[in-house]
Amino acid sequence: MIKPEKTINGTKWIETIQINAEERATLEDQYGIDEDIIEYVTDNDESTNYVYDINEDDQLFIFLAPYALDKDALRYITQPFGMLLHKGVLFTFNQSGIPEVNTALYSALDNPEVKSVDAFILKTLFTVVVSFIPISRAITKKRNYLDKMLNRKTKNSDLVSLSYLQQTLTFLSSAVQTNLSELDRLPKTHFGVGADQDKIDLFEDVQIEGEQVQRMFEIETQVVDRIDHTLNSLANNNLNDTMKFLTIWSLTMAVPTIISGFYGMNVKLPLAGMQYAWMLTLGISVALIVAMLIMLKVWRKM
């Protein structure tokens, strides 16, 4: 979808969301955007980047934003969105229809402090970076719940939730890191040349916020990994206890089987002719079982 033109203090803004082939052709024919640029800026597999075309004086920004697969289960990945300054016109590309990107764009548009297209871009990036924070807080809340489950019986659903947290943290941590690397580089590019004090302040605000978000995800990743390690250790210990119990039980049951097996043979055996021979075999079995358990206890096998 190509939305109607808007203006940002005299600069045209063309907003696109999930454009199709016909709309791509419109961008090429009506606005003169190269086909390769459109393919690049709408590729869902692209990573964070900034490109300046010295011949066309075009500037292309690609950044990653959180994309919810299942908000209730905290399943998130990241998808790219793009901004292109082409012939004095700003084009934005939200090919995945990310709600956080739409919110960031209109938040910057309605901000009275935004007085230039450069400020609009930086404010948009700032809001996208901030959009990672509520997800981090939700992860913290879920992580605290799973942490409490360590002292209780862990369910398979808890393990699945932990796996989702690890996947989400992997995607978001990587995106935050690559975004921050590009934000640190941005002031040194053509976009940062001749920046006034207001623009420098915006650069610093975005970088500081990016660093804060990065630290939040680093901490969450470490804590969730430790919880996963602890749960694995508990599961292994429980398995060891179960195997120990089954082994001792099988040894205990083997003793009567051996004794009764001997006296079940059709041959003459000592004491087999006694009236209460079966009680004798029972007593021998019990005595051997008790002796075996005492030896296992002494050898610290129980």
Side-chain angles (χ1 to χ4, degrees):
M1 178 193 337
I2 301 178
K3 291 194 171 183
E5 293 184 4
K6 305 175 186 65
T7 58
I8 305 168
N9 291 322
T11 301
K12 288 184 179 180
W13 170 31
I14 309 296
E15 180 186 9
T16 72
I17 301 175
Q18 297 176 322
I19 56 175
N20 54 33
E22 182 179 349
E23 291 165 340
R24 290 169 187 252
T26 299
L27 292 175
E28 294 176 29
D29 299 337
Q30 186 172 343
Y31 297 101
I33 302 177
D34 190 77
E35 180 183 0
D36 292 338
I37 296 295
I38 297 177
E39 288 293 332
Y40 179 72
V41 81
T42 57
D43 186 354
N44 287 335
D45 295 323
E46 286 299 331
S47 184
T48 306
N49 199 7
Y50 168 80
V51 179
Y52 172 62
D53 187 341
I54 192 172
N55 296 320
E56 298 290 338
D57 195 29
D58 288 349
Q59 298 183 74
L60 176 62
F61 306 80
I62 303 290
F63 280 84
L64 296 174
Y67 182 80
L69 298 177
D70 186 345
K71 284 188 176 182
D72 294 334
L74 284 179
R75 297 191 65 188
Y76 283 85
I77 59 174
T78 57
Q79 291 291 314
F81 70 97
M83 293 180 284
L84 173 66
L85 280 172
H86 173 71
K87 296 182 179 180
V89 180
L90 174 65
F91 298 84
T92 59
F93 298 85
N94 186 7
Q95 193 62 16
S96 298
I98 307 170
E100 288 79 3
V101 172
N102 294 333
T103 300
L105 291 170
Y106 283 94
S107 175
L109 181 66
D110 297 335
N111 192 329
E113 297 180 359
V114 173
K115 299 178 180 179
S116 67
V117 68
D118 289 354
F120 176 86
I121 292 172
L122 290 173
K123 280 292 185 180
T124 298
L125 295 180
F126 179 87
T127 307
V128 169
V129 170
V130 170
S131 69
F132 284 87
I133 295 179
I135 303 173
S136 177
R137 290 173 179 165
I139 291 173
T140 300
K141 184 177 180 180
K142 187 68 173 180
R143 181 255 298 169
N144 288 334
Y145 166 79
L146 293 174
D147 195 19
K148 293 178 181 178
M149 291 298 103
L150 291 177
N151 296 324
R152 305 177 187 177
K153 185 177 180 181
T154 305
K155 302 177 182 178
N156 288 337
S157 58
D158 295 331
L159 297 177
V160 172
S161 297
L162 182 63
S163 175
Y164 287 160
L165 285 188
Q166 289 178 313
Q167 293 174 27
T168 294
L169 284 170
T170 299
F171 283 112
L172 299 189
S173 296
S174 176
V176 167
Q177 184 176 358
T178 55
N179 281 351
L180 181 58
S181 297
E182 194 61 33
L183 290 171
D184 290 339
R185 188 179 76 92
L186 208 54
K188 305 171 186 177
T189 64
H190 179 80
F191 184 68
V193 173
D196 56 18
Q197 188 58 48
D198 290 340
K199 190 173 181 179
I200 293 173
D201 291 341
L202 286 174
F203 275 128
E204 292 178 352
D205 290 343
V206 178
Q207 290 167 349
I208 291 171
E209 201 68 24
E211 291 170 358
Q212 177 185 347
V213 173
Q214 184 185 38
R215 286 193 296 269
M216 292 174 67
F217 278 102
E218 285 177 352
I219 293 172
E220 287 304 318
T221 300
Q222 292 173 7
V223 175
V224 169
D225 286 344
R226 288 183 181 179
I227 292 175
D228 178 61
H229 178 73
T230 302
L231 285 175
N232 287 332
S233 298
L234 289 174
N236 290 333
N237 287 338
N238 292 336
L239 179 61
N240 290 338
D241 291 341
T242 301
M243 295 304 297
K244 182 187 293 185
F245 171 79
L246 292 176
T247 300
I248 294 173
W249 183 257
S250 63
L251 290 174
T252 302
M253 292 296 99
V255 173
T257 303
I258 295 172
I259 301 300
S260 60
F262 274 115
Y263 280 89
M265 295 185 295
N266 295 323
V267 296
K268 288 186 177 182
L269 293 172
L271 309 176
M274 294 178 59
Q275 182 178 1
Y276 298 104
W278 69 273
M279 294 183 65
L280 179 63
T281 59
L282 181 61
I284 294 173
S285 298
V286 172
L288 289 176
I289 290 172
V290 171
M292 181 188 66
L293 293 176
I294 292 174
M295 286 188 295
L296 289 174
K297 187 70 174 180
V298 172
W299 294 343
R300 300 181 184 278
K301 299 298 183 181
M302 290 179 61

